[in-house]
Amino acid sequence: MDKTQEVTKVTSTKRRNIFSRTKLYLFEYSVMQVANIWIGTAISITVFSIFSIISGENISSSIIESLAWVFGLILIFFPISIILYARTTGEESTNKARLTQRFRKVIFYAMLSIATISAVSFLGTAVYTASRALFGIDDTSSLLSITLPSAIVLLFHIYFIVVILKREKTSARLRRLNVIVLSILGLTLAGLVLGIALQKSSGVSSDKKIVKDLGLVSSEIRKEFNDTGMLPDSISDLKNLQNDALKEKFIDGQYVYKPTPSNGGYNYDQPVTLKEDSDSTSSMIYPDIPPTSPGEYQLCATFNTRSNTYDNYDSYGPGYIDSAIRTEAEFEYHPKGYYCYSLYAY
């Protein structure tokens, strides 16, 4: 064997050792399991997002934004997990004592517990939602949006517990198969997340622009009301608003401004209901409908997506947002479609 062949053989051996041996086994085994937890999180979010789109549900803007975070998880933790899996399982095949190390056992059983609890949770969710749909309690759409993705994520958990997270030595054939499967899975998930993000991100960007525009207009209305004591008749009348493009959106009808009459629509020329004070000998006259603030108005726009946080406020009933929040941040809460904010310029 000449020197060239010897160098080639040594280089090939070193390359194999990089992906099949490690002197930092316990550290790399621990990091791999942490990476696997993040991979499981990314898989769950991706699967549920895909089936939400398939079932026709409105994806909230915060979920679409979170897909960027998921995409990062996939790009970072899938390669880490695959490389460390190859190195640690290769080390285990040549050094069986690694399998009996106490710290390795602790990490193994901790991951087994986490994966098992998570798998049981998804199993319970799938069975529960399927049962509710079967008994007619919930709409059958929940089978597609909850039951099926829960079952698919459960299968990933089973694969991880049975095939990847092994207490004994992993055979060379299974080791190669798992590396291939994990690589394909990572590339597929990355492609799906990127596709969803590219398809839906334009709506989120547009809604963020709407929120910014409405916040700016609301601030200028408040300033003018504080200076003059009156609401402007139209957005074009706002003296301090120099953004002609924004004013044009109100003229074109993209946004709507509605100043509310200072009496709240109540006509003082109409007869009023008489109220009698039982503690007084005379009758007191006052309207049933009290006047509203002279600074009350509405700003309306059409949103492409639903903000996830909107559900937290909408669940309290219509108008809760308007009565609970009076700041610029209110525009962050909106459903999909046309929506009006009731505001006050005080």
Side-chain angles (χ1 to χ4, degrees):
M1 181 181 296
D2 58 26
K3 292 184 178 180
T4 303
Q5 290 177 325
E6 290 180 0
V7 171
T8 302
K9 183 176 180 181
V10 170
T11 303
S12 177
T13 302
K14 288 182 177 179
R15 188 181 297 111
R16 286 197 301 270
N17 286 340
I18 291 175
F19 295 102
S20 61
R21 297 295 301 274
T22 173
K23 296 181 179 180
L24 302 172
Y25 172 79
L26 292 178
F27 172 75
E28 293 187 6
Y29 185 79
S30 302
V31 173
M32 178 187 67
Q33 300 304 349
V34 172
N36 288 336
I37 293 176
W38 287 112
I39 287 175
T41 302
I43 291 174
S44 300
I45 295 175
T46 303
V47 171
F48 276 91
S49 298
I50 291 172
F51 277 91
S52 293
I53 295 174
I54 294 175
S55 63
E57 291 186 2
N58 293 327
I59 303 297
S60 68
S61 58
S62 58
I63 291 180
I64 298 174
E65 292 176 3
S66 70
L67 290 178
W69 177 70
V70 172
F71 187 68
L73 291 182
I74 293 172
L75 292 183
I76 295 173
F77 289 107
F78 259 100
I80 290 176
S81 179
I82 293 170
I83 293 172
L84 295 185
Y85 172 80
R87 286 168 60 85
T88 55
T89 52
E91 177 70 17
E92 292 166 358
S93 64
T94 57
N95 187 355
K96 295 182 180 180
R98 295 292 194 184
L99 297 169
T100 59
Q101 288 183 282
R102 180 174 299 179
F103 187 74
R104 197 267 187 189
K105 290 182 177 180
V106 171
I107 297 298
F108 170 82
Y109 284 111
M111 280 300 300
L112 181 61
S113 300
I114 293 172
T116 302
I117 293 172
S118 181
V120 171
S121 299
F122 282 108
L123 175 62
T125 300
V127 172
Y128 176 69
T129 54
S131 300
R132 290 180 65 87
L134 178 64
F135 295 144
I137 301 174
D138 286 339
D139 191 86
T140 54
S141 61
S142 62
L143 294 175
L144 185 59
S145 62
I146 300 178
T147 304
L148 189 54
S150 296
I152 292 176
V153 175
L154 172 62
L155 292 178
F156 280 117
H157 280 73
I158 294 174
Y159 173 78
F160 175 75
I161 294 172
V162 175
V163 180
I164 296 179
L165 187 66
K166 298 180 69 65
R167 182 178 178 181
E168 67 278 3
K169 182 182 72 172
T170 303
S171 66
R173 182 178 180 182
L174 180 59
R175 179 168 167 265
R176 287 193 297 269
L177 176 63
N178 284 336
V179 169
I180 294 173
V181 169
L182 290 173
S183 300
I184 294 174
L185 178 60
L187 291 173
T188 302
L189 289 178
L192 289 173
V193 171
L194 184 60
I196 295 173
L198 292 177
Q199 181 183 5
K200 300 291 184 179
S201 60
S202 59
V204 176
S205 300
S206 177
D207 288 349
K208 285 184 175 294
K209 176 62 175 174
I210 293 174
V211 168
K212 183 178 179 181
D213 287 345
L214 296 184
L216 175 60
V217 170
S218 176
S219 177
E220 293 301 328
I221 291 175
R222 184 178 295 110
K223 290 179 182 178
E224 180 151 327
F225 182 80
N226 290 334
D227 292 340
T228 65
M230 298 177 60
L231 291 173
D233 294 330
S234 68
I235 299 303
S236 300
D237 296 333
L238 282 173
K239 299 176 182 178
N240 295 325
L241 183 61
Q242 304 299 323
N243 191 329
D244 293 333
L246 180 53
K247 290 182 179 180
E248 193 66 28
K249 291 181 180 180
F250 283 91
I251 296 173
D252 294 342
Q254 295 183 44
Y255 304 151
V256 176
Y257 164 67
K258 301 177 183 178
T260 304
S262 60
N263 63 355
Y266 180 80
N267 189 345
Y268 289 102
D269 294 330
Q270 297 296 322
V272 298
T273 303
L274 299 182
K275 297 286 185 177
E276 183 173 351
D277 188 348
S278 58
D279 297 330
S280 176
T281 57
S282 62
S283 297
M284 298 182 64
I285 303 175
Y286 57 89
D288 282 331
I289 304 176
T292 58
S293 168
E296 185 177 356
Y297 66 98
Q298 287 187 330
L299 291 178
C300 308
T302 300
F303 294 93
N304 298 284
T305 61
R306 167 182 56 84
S307 63
N308 191 50
T309 47
Y310 173 78
D311 291 340
N312 299 333
Y313 292 90
D314 188 50
S315 61
Y316 290 96
Y320 178 80
I321 296 178
D322 296 332
S323 63
I325 306 173
R326 300 296 181 191
T327 65
E328 303 298 333
E330 179 180 1
F331 299 108
E332 295 286 350
Y333 307 95
H334 58 79
K336 181 179 180 180
Y338 187 75
Y339 186 72
C340 292
Y341 296 89
S342 296
L343 304 164
Y344 294 93
Y346 54 77

PDB file of all heavy atoms in Angstrom, residues 71 74 185-197:
ATOM      1  N   PHE A  71     -39.653  27.288  12.080  1.00  0.00           N
ATOM      2  CA  PHE A  71     -38.700  27.085  10.984  1.00  0.00           C
ATOM      3  C   PHE A  71     -37.264  27.136  11.526  1.00  0.00           C
ATOM      4  O   PHE A  71     -36.412  26.331  11.128  1.00  0.00           O
ATOM      5  CB  PHE A  71     -38.901  28.160   9.920  1.00  0.00           C
ATOM      6  CG  PHE A  71     -38.090  27.955   8.675  1.00  0.00           C
ATOM      7  CD1 PHE A  71     -38.349  26.900   7.817  1.00  0.00           C
ATOM      8  CD2 PHE A  71     -37.054  28.820   8.365  1.00  0.00           C
ATOM      9  CE1 PHE A  71     -37.599  26.707   6.661  1.00  0.00           C
ATOM     10  CE2 PHE A  71     -36.293  28.644   7.223  1.00  0.00           C
ATOM     11  CZ  PHE A  71     -36.574  27.580   6.361  1.00  0.00           C
ATOM     12  N   ILE A  74     -36.449  23.910  13.365  1.00  0.00           N
ATOM     13  CA  ILE A  74     -36.165  22.800  12.455  1.00  0.00           C
ATOM     14  C   ILE A  74     -34.751  22.919  11.893  1.00  0.00           C
ATOM     15  O   ILE A  74     -34.000  21.930  11.843  1.00  0.00           O
ATOM     16  CB  ILE A  74     -37.203  22.777  11.320  1.00  0.00           C
ATOM     17  CG1 ILE A  74     -38.592  22.437  11.882  1.00  0.00           C
ATOM     18  CG2 ILE A  74     -36.810  21.757  10.246  1.00  0.00           C
ATOM     19  CD1 ILE A  74     -39.714  22.570  10.880  1.00  0.00           C
ATOM     20  N   LEU A 185     -37.545  13.722   7.157  1.00  0.00           N
ATOM     21  CA  LEU A 185     -38.582  14.381   7.953  1.00  0.00           C
ATOM     22  C   LEU A 185     -38.247  15.853   8.176  1.00  0.00           C
ATOM     23  O   LEU A 185     -39.115  16.727   8.047  1.00  0.00           O
ATOM     24  CB  LEU A 185     -38.739  13.668   9.296  1.00  0.00           C
ATOM     25  CG  LEU A 185     -39.766  14.258  10.276  1.00  0.00           C
ATOM     26  CD1 LEU A 185     -41.154  14.248   9.667  1.00  0.00           C
ATOM     27  CD2 LEU A 185     -39.738  13.492  11.593  1.00  0.00           C
ATOM     28  N   GLY A 186     -36.991  16.141   8.517  1.00  0.00           N
ATOM     29  CA  GLY A 186     -36.590  17.524   8.739  1.00  0.00           C
ATOM     30  C   GLY A 186     -36.734  18.372   7.492  1.00  0.00           C
ATOM     31  O   GLY A 186     -37.254  19.500   7.545  1.00  0.00           O
ATOM     32  N   LEU A 187     -36.302  17.850   6.344  1.00  0.00           N
ATOM     33  CA  LEU A 187     -36.425  18.593   5.092  1.00  0.00           C
ATOM     34  C   LEU A 187     -37.885  18.807   4.711  1.00  0.00           C
ATOM     35  O   LEU A 187     -38.267  19.890   4.238  1.00  0.00           O
ATOM     36  CB  LEU A 187     -35.697  17.840   3.971  1.00  0.00           C
ATOM     37  CG  LEU A 187     -34.172  17.795   4.071  1.00  0.00           C
ATOM     38  CD1 LEU A 187     -33.594  16.889   3.000  1.00  0.00           C
ATOM     39  CD2 LEU A 187     -33.587  19.199   3.950  1.00  0.00           C
ATOM     40  N   THR A 188     -38.717  17.791   4.928  1.00  0.00           N
ATOM     41  CA  THR A 188     -40.141  17.898   4.592  1.00  0.00           C
ATOM     42  C   THR A 188     -40.828  18.948   5.453  1.00  0.00           C
ATOM     43  O   THR A 188     -41.582  19.794   4.950  1.00  0.00           O
ATOM     44  CB  THR A 188     -40.844  16.541   4.770  1.00  0.00           C
ATOM     45  OG1 THR A 188     -40.204  15.562   3.945  1.00  0.00           O
ATOM     46  CG2 THR A 188     -42.318  16.644   4.384  1.00  0.00           C
ATOM     47  N   LEU A 189     -40.587  18.900   6.763  1.00  0.00           N
ATOM     48  CA  LEU A 189     -41.208  19.872   7.666  1.00  0.00           C
ATOM     49  C   LEU A 189     -40.741  21.291   7.357  1.00  0.00           C
ATOM     50  O   LEU A 189     -41.546  22.228   7.366  1.00  0.00           O
ATOM     51  CB  LEU A 189     -40.884  19.515   9.116  1.00  0.00           C
ATOM     52  CG  LEU A 189     -41.573  18.277   9.692  1.00  0.00           C
ATOM     53  CD1 LEU A 189     -41.104  18.039  11.116  1.00  0.00           C
ATOM     54  CD2 LEU A 189     -43.085  18.434   9.668  1.00  0.00           C
ATOM     55  N   ALA A 190     -39.448  21.444   7.080  1.00  0.00           N
ATOM     56  CA  ALA A 190     -38.933  22.767   6.742  1.00  0.00           C
ATOM     57  C   ALA A 190     -39.609  23.307   5.489  1.00  0.00           C
ATOM     58  O   ALA A 190     -39.978  24.485   5.420  1.00  0.00           O
ATOM     59  CB  ALA A 190     -37.415  22.715   6.549  1.00  0.00           C
ATOM     60  N   GLY A 191     -39.804  22.448   4.484  1.00  0.00           N
ATOM     61  CA  GLY A 191     -40.474  22.869   3.260  1.00  0.00           C
ATOM     62  C   GLY A 191     -41.924  23.249   3.494  1.00  0.00           C
ATOM     63  O   GLY A 191     -42.415  24.247   2.952  1.00  0.00           O
ATOM     64  N   LEU A 192     -42.629  22.469   4.328  1.00  0.00           N
ATOM     65  CA  LEU A 192     -44.037  22.754   4.613  1.00  0.00           C
ATOM     66  C   LEU A 192     -44.196  24.068   5.373  1.00  0.00           C
ATOM     67  O   LEU A 192     -45.060  24.889   5.050  1.00  0.00           O
ATOM     68  CB  LEU A 192     -44.644  21.605   5.422  1.00  0.00           C
ATOM     69  CG  LEU A 192     -44.869  20.289   4.675  1.00  0.00           C
ATOM     70  CD1 LEU A 192     -45.304  19.203   5.650  1.00  0.00           C
ATOM     71  CD2 LEU A 192     -45.905  20.460   3.571  1.00  0.00           C
ATOM     72  N   VAL A 193     -43.357  24.256   6.389  1.00  0.00           N
ATOM     73  CA  VAL A 193     -43.435  25.491   7.178  1.00  0.00           C
ATOM     74  C   VAL A 193     -43.109  26.698   6.316  1.00  0.00           C
ATOM     75  O   VAL A 193     -43.796  27.729   6.377  1.00  0.00           O
ATOM     76  CB  VAL A 193     -42.474  25.421   8.381  1.00  0.00           C
ATOM     77  CG1 VAL A 193     -42.380  26.775   9.071  1.00  0.00           C
ATOM     78  CG2 VAL A 193     -42.941  24.368   9.373  1.00  0.00           C
ATOM     79  N   LEU A 194     -42.088  26.579   5.477  1.00  0.00           N
ATOM     80  CA  LEU A 194     -41.717  27.685   4.603  1.00  0.00           C
ATOM     81  C   LEU A 194     -42.845  27.991   3.616  1.00  0.00           C
ATOM     82  O   LEU A 194     -43.156  29.161   3.353  1.00  0.00           O
ATOM     83  CB  LEU A 194     -40.432  27.338   3.854  1.00  0.00           C
ATOM     84  CG  LEU A 194     -39.850  28.439   2.954  1.00  0.00           C
ATOM     85  CD1 LEU A 194     -39.511  29.668   3.784  1.00  0.00           C
ATOM     86  CD2 LEU A 194     -38.620  27.926   2.220  1.00  0.00           C
ATOM     87  N   GLY A 195     -43.482  26.939   3.082  1.00  0.00           N
ATOM     88  CA  GLY A 195     -44.586  27.143   2.149  1.00  0.00           C
ATOM     89  C   GLY A 195     -45.765  27.844   2.795  1.00  0.00           C
ATOM     90  O   GLY A 195     -46.364  28.762   2.215  1.00  0.00           O
ATOM     91  N   ILE A 196     -46.124  27.414   4.020  1.00  0.00           N
ATOM     92  CA  ILE A 196     -47.242  28.050   4.734  1.00  0.00           C
ATOM     93  C   ILE A 196     -46.931  29.502   5.032  1.00  0.00           C
ATOM     94  O   ILE A 196     -47.768  30.385   4.846  1.00  0.00           O
ATOM     95  CB  ILE A 196     -47.543  27.284   6.041  1.00  0.00           C
ATOM     96  CG1 ILE A 196     -48.039  25.868   5.736  1.00  0.00           C
ATOM     97  CG2 ILE A 196     -48.586  28.030   6.862  1.00  0.00           C
ATOM     98  CD1 ILE A 196     -48.185  25.007   6.971  1.00  0.00           C
ATOM     99  N   ALA A 197     -45.713  29.754   5.481  1.00  0.00           N
ATOM    100  CA  ALA A 197     -45.326  31.119   5.843  1.00  0.00           C
ATOM    101  C   ALA A 197     -45.361  32.044   4.631  1.00  0.00           C
ATOM    102  O   ALA A 197     -45.857  33.174   4.709  1.00  0.00           O
ATOM    103  CB  ALA A 197     -43.936  31.116   6.465  1.00  0.00           C
TER     104      ALA A 197
END
